[in-house]
Amino acid sequence: MGKKREKSNKAKDGGKVQDQNRANTFQYEIALQVQERKDRYGKPSFDLEIDEETFEEPLSEPPSVQDGKNVSKGKKPSKYKALVEFKSRVEESIIGNSLLGKPSSKLSHEESTEAIEELKEIKLWGVPLLPSKRHEGTDIVLLKFLKARDYKVREAFEMLQRTLKWRKEFKADEIVEENMGLDFDNLAYLNSRDKEGHPLYYNVYGALKDKQNLHKILGSEEKRQKFLRWRVQYMEKAIKELDFEASGTNSIVQIIDLKNSSGQTTKEFRSVCRKYWKLLQDHYPELIHQNIIINVPLWFYISHVFSSRLKAQRNNNRIVIARPGKVTSTLLKFIPPENLPVQYGGLQRENDDEFSSKDKVFVVKAKANTTEHIHIPTLEAGVTMVWDLTIVGSWDVSYKEEFIPNDEGSYRVLIENEKDTKKGGSVRNSFYISEPGKIVISIGNALLKEKKVLYRYKTKPTVPMYVRIKS
């Protein structure tokens, strides 16, 4: 019995070590975004609890300072003083030709004057840095560097200097138009906005599960450097979607999809990701408003070190975590259904000719052990009715569509009838209306919990087929 217990304990310990190793492989992905922070009393904050779906740190700044909005009103005196001092230092360094470092003593007066005039026009993310130009985006950009360095002016200024030097060496301002020569669109893409107007930046790591594809992308040092430049290119594309104004949106939401991703990734991939996140930390401060990590596997929860870093997140951003069964419901808390792609349970389709984000989405709830009927009026004949519908979470419902005419002497038309359906994504269908009536969609929910149903519809003019044939 003792030997059996010993073997059993060894097996359990081996499993824990394996899970720990798998969990640690994910740390490189966002570990550089999160750091040990101090609470209001100067002590490390390790006593916060992380929820399965959402982690949110209490705000340490008044709303007027957050996201760089309303930067001139309501700030704490110390932070306002830091901003004024920072602006003054940036102005002096531009006029003194020292923003990018100590100027050469060999420069002639004409060359020095020309260099200063060039510096006066310097921009970061499309925003002028010279405070005397009085561009409203200047304060917002400078505040990001101040917040990243806890409002320490000297450190923020040095960070700004390093960022400008790096952008010049990396040619970051021209990278958006650069042709990388490889198709990375299945790994990341920009898609619409969240409810607050933040651009959505999707990262899909399941595409790297294929070893052949992984080798194709990261098989050599040259390819890894190109992959790194591509990641920076996408960040720059996202920044071009931002609006550095007091009432604008000046940060992005990043969605990290771990579906089909393996905890055991290659050393090359981890190395590239570390470099990328280091670049984000050093040269793109406060530009990530929120990280939403979806399709999180069980091993993700095992790492105590990683969860501690999440609790000690430096910024006021939120990290949201969603298991596979709660991806749609979690994303819909932040993203309107018309902007959420169908693969995540929303209504947005690529290159959609039927609907746009301006089309209204309706919400109904199918109560437990009941059948919910959705009525779509069709008062005009000679048009085609088109509708979109999705159910949040797993379907597990019976589903029927039929056309019921207003004239009691006319026949009903069964459009679709599926019993005990278990499908995913959204359903799109259409029906030509030959006489006034209504489309009735019946959803039978036999479960003990209610289901949320999202749908939208519209009519479009249509010429019947028999008319086309005659003509």
Side-chain angles (χ1 to χ4, degrees):
M1 287 293 290
K3 291 183 178 180
K4 288 184 178 180
R5 287 183 180 177
E6 186 177 350
K7 289 182 180 180
S8 176
N9 290 335
K10 286 183 178 179
K12 289 180 179 178
D13 292 340
K16 290 179 180 179
V17 171
Q18 186 178 10
D19 286 340
Q20 180 67 50
N21 290 337
R22 294 181 68 192
N24 287 340
T25 59
F26 188 75
Q27 291 185 27
Y28 66 82
E29 182 53 42
I30 61 174
L32 288 173
Q33 289 191 74
V34 293
Q35 300 177 355
E36 302 292 347
R37 70 179 292 274
K38 294 184 178 181
D39 62 14
R40 297 177 183 178
Y41 303 98
K43 300 176 182 179
S45 300
F46 296 108
D47 57 339
L48 299 174
E49 293 295 332
I50 183 168
D51 184 76
E52 179 177 318
E53 288 189 35
T54 306
F55 166 77
E56 180 173 3
E57 183 181 343
L59 298 178
S60 59
E61 300 177 5
S64 56
V65 189
Q66 297 158 22
D67 295 331
K69 298 179 180 180
N70 301 323
V71 293
S72 299
K73 299 179 181 180
K75 292 189 305 300
K76 293 182 178 180
S78 58
K79 294 179 180 179
Y80 179 75
K81 181 180 178 181
L83 177 59
V84 172
E85 183 181 344
F86 190 26
K87 290 169 64 176
S88 175
R89 188 159 186 173
V90 171
E91 180 89 20
E92 291 173 0
S93 66
I94 291 176
I95 301 302
N97 192 23
S98 60
L99 180 62
L100 301 178
K102 188 176 181 180
S104 174
S105 58
K106 297 180 181 180
L107 290 177
S108 65
H109 177 71
E110 291 182 357
E111 290 175 329
S112 179
T113 302
E114 184 179 348
I116 292 173
E117 292 302 315
E118 288 182 4
L119 272 182
K120 287 181 179 180
E121 303 302 319
I122 193 169
K123 295 182 179 181
L124 179 58
W125 308 322
V127 176
L129 287 181
L130 185 65
S132 58
K133 283 183 175 290
R134 298 188 180 279
H135 190 284
E136 63 178 326
T138 304
D139 283 10
I140 296 173
V141 169
L142 295 182
L143 262 176
K144 290 183 179 295
F145 287 87
L146 277 174
K147 291 175 70 175
R149 290 296 178 262
D150 296 326
Y151 290 87
K152 297 175 182 177
V153 175
R154 182 180 63 81
E155 294 181 13
F157 181 75
E158 291 174 353
M159 184 183 189
L160 176 63
Q161 282 186 312
R162 289 192 297 269
T163 295
L164 295 174
K165 291 177 183 177
W166 170 81
R167 292 184 67 84
K168 187 175 182 180
E169 295 170 0
F170 202 79
K171 297 182 179 179
D173 289 325
E174 298 88 31
I175 201 170
V176 171
E177 304 301 328
E178 186 174 331
N179 184 8
M180 298 299 172
L182 289 175
D183 184 13
F184 296 116
D185 289 344
N186 60 337
L187 297 177
Y189 56 92
L190 288 164
N191 186 294
S192 66
R193 295 174 179 264
D194 70 355
K195 293 179 179 178
E196 297 179 355
H198 299 96
L200 300 173
Y201 180 18
Y202 289 82
N203 295 264
V204 185
Y205 292 144
L208 292 174
K209 187 178 181 180
D210 185 0
K211 291 183 179 180
Q212 185 176 359
N213 193 29
L214 187 64
H215 179 75
K216 180 182 177 182
I217 296 174
L218 303 173
S220 65
E221 181 61 30
E222 181 182 356
K223 290 180 179 179
R224 289 191 287 273
Q225 287 301 316
K226 187 171 289 187
F227 180 76
L228 180 63
R229 288 190 64 80
W230 168 77
R231 293 299 300 263
V232 173
Q233 183 188 59
Y234 250 87
M235 188 64 187
E236 291 290 330
K237 286 182 178 179
I239 291 174
K240 287 188 175 295
E241 299 294 320
L242 301 180
D243 185 8
F244 293 97
E245 297 179 358
S247 58
T249 303
N250 53 72
S251 56
I252 69 174
V253 170
Q254 185 167 237
I255 300 172
I256 302 172
D257 187 358
L258 300 184
K259 186 177 181 180
N260 296 327
S261 65
S262 172
Q264 300 186 6
T265 52
T266 66
K267 179 177 68 175
E268 292 79 10
F269 181 58
R270 292 197 299 270
S271 175
V272 172
C273 284
R274 286 193 189 102
K275 290 179 181 178
Y276 172 66
W277 290 109
K278 185 71 164 57
L279 289 179
L280 283 187
Q281 184 189 41
D282 292 345
H283 306 307
Y284 295 93
E286 301 293 326
L287 284 173
I288 305 295
H289 171 73
Q290 189 175 60
N291 287 294
I292 305 178
I293 310 171
I294 60 176
N295 288 309
V296 173
L298 184 60
W299 55 262
F300 181 88
Y301 294 95
I302 298 174
S303 175
H304 172 73
V305 175
F306 183 68
S307 63
S308 296
R309 292 189 179 187
L310 283 176
K311 297 170 191 176
Q313 189 188 13
R314 174 189 176 87
N315 301 324
N316 288 325
N317 305 333
R318 289 183 294 178
I319 291 182
V320 180
I321 301 172
R323 290 182 180 241
K326 294 187 176 181
V327 170
T328 302
S329 60
T330 300
L331 291 176
L332 286 174
K333 293 178 181 178
F334 310 99
I335 306 170
E338 61 271 21
N339 287 350
L340 183 64
V342 291
Q343 61 265 36
Y344 295 121
L347 296 173
Q348 186 195 60
R349 297 171 184 264
E350 192 174 356
N351 301 321
D352 195 349
D353 295 328
E354 302 289 357
F355 291 96
S356 71
S357 59
K358 296 179 181 180
D359 293 310
K360 184 177 180 180
V361 176
F362 300 90
V363 182
V364 297
K365 292 182 179 179
K367 296 181 180 179
N369 291 316
T370 61
T371 298
E372 184 70 28
H373 301 285
I374 297 175
H375 297 264
I376 301 177
T378 56
L379 305 179
E380 182 183 358
V383 297
T384 295
M385 178 65 72
V386 185
W387 60 91
D388 254 350
L389 183 143
T390 189
I391 295 177
V392 178
S394 60
W395 277 63
D396 297 325
V397 295
S398 61
Y399 183 81
K400 183 172 70 172
E401 300 171 344
E402 59 181 332
F403 172 72
I404 303 177
N406 289 342
D407 187 350
E408 295 181 358
S410 298
Y411 292 100
R412 291 188 176 195
V413 179
L414 182 62
I415 303 171
E416 184 174 344
N417 185 21
E418 296 187 20
K419 295 182 178 180
D420 300 325
T421 289
K422 290 186 179 181
K423 62 176 70 175
S426 67
V427 170
R428 174 170 293 182
N429 211 343
S430 62
F431 185 76
Y432 177 73
I433 308 301
S434 59
E435 59 179 312
K438 59 185 175 182
I439 301 291
V440 178
I441 302 175
S442 302
I443 300 170
N445 180 16
L447 300 180
L448 297 177
K449 59 180 180 180
E450 69 178 16
K451 293 277 190 178
K452 183 182 289 186
V453 183
L454 308 173
Y455 71 99
R456 58 184 175 179
Y457 61 89
K458 68 188 307 183
T459 58
K460 61 179 183 179
T462 307
V463 178
M465 185 61 67
Y466 68 86
V467 175
R468 295 182 187 177
I469 294 173
K470 284 183 179 181
S471 61

